[in-house]
Amino acid sequence: MKRFARPGLLWALLLILPLAVAGCQREPEAKNPPPADLAAVLLEGLEFDDQLESIDQDAALTVLGLENWQDKLEGCSVYMGSGATPEQIVVLQAADEDSARQIAQSLKESYLKQLKDSFADYAPAELPKIEDAQLEARGRTAVLCVCPKGAAAKTILDKEL
């Protein structure tokens, strides 16, 4: 009898150990790459119909309606098109994760809505780009990418963030 009890205990331990280890795993921490580096990866890795140009932080925050967040930002890299398309790359690094989430929420509720309303009248053919825009807040980084292929942007963001 003792001979069978030990293998049973061994099997129980072998089953419980992986479950216990899996339960202790945490979600991986966000990488928080420098905004200029992440923006460059997106710019290089995606195709755009428009020619995107770098915008300085003050002008970008004004356009994005984020002037009140200036003191909560540690870095910013923004590329915008000519205005004929909604295409853009916005990478903002906040002082903390909560600020990054709030910035992304503000972009979603205000800026993207305003952008969609503008293009609905101006160039409705561009609306799918806005509807497929990738907006992420991971770690201290908030990213908005409006491009022709949102799925490609998501793939890059999943790898880089």
Side-chain angles (χ1 to χ4, degrees):
M1 263 284 202
K2 286 185 179 182
R3 196 182 256 178
F4 293 108
R6 287 187 183 166
L9 179 62
L10 182 62
W11 278 108
L13 287 174
L14 287 175
L15 291 173
I16 292 172
L17 186 61
L19 294 174
V21 171
C24 294
Q25 292 178 349
R26 291 185 284 159
E27 194 171 304
E29 284 190 36
K31 297 176 186 175
N32 295 311
D37 293 354
L38 180 54
V41 169
L42 289 165
L43 197 58
E44 292 284 324
L46 299 170
E47 293 180 26
F48 293 90
D49 297 331
D50 207 348
Q51 180 68 35
L52 301 186
E53 298 290 332
S54 179
I55 306 296
D56 73 44
Q57 181 170 324
D58 290 337
L61 294 179
T62 299
V63 169
L64 297 167
L66 297 173
E67 303 95 332
N68 296 336
W69 289 96
Q70 181 103 24
D71 61 333
K72 295 280 189 176
L73 289 180
E74 293 183 349
C76 171
S77 186
V78 177
Y79 289 83
M80 293 190 168
S82 63
T85 72
E87 296 175 355
Q88 56 195 275
I89 297 170
V90 177
V91 182
L92 306 167
Q93 192 164 69
D96 55 67
E97 291 181 11
D98 190 46
S99 294
R101 281 191 299 273
Q102 289 176 17
I103 288 169
Q105 190 67 26
S106 178
L107 286 171
K108 180 181 180 180
E109 291 174 359
S110 274
Y111 180 68
L112 275 177
K113 184 180 180 321
Q114 176 189 8
L115 194 64
K116 188 174 182 179
D117 291 345
S118 295
F119 275 88
D121 293 332
Y122 172 67
E126 295 291 320
L127 284 176
K129 293 177 187 176
I130 300 168
E131 291 166 353
D132 199 25
Q134 297 302 306
L135 178 61
E136 299 276 343
R138 293 190 199 167
R140 295 181 300 117
T141 306
V143 180
L144 169 63
C145 185
V146 182
C147 63
K149 296 181 181 177
K154 177 139 180 62
T155 300
I156 292 171
L157 292 174
D158 287 343
K159 179 182 174 193
E160 299 296 323
L161 292 176

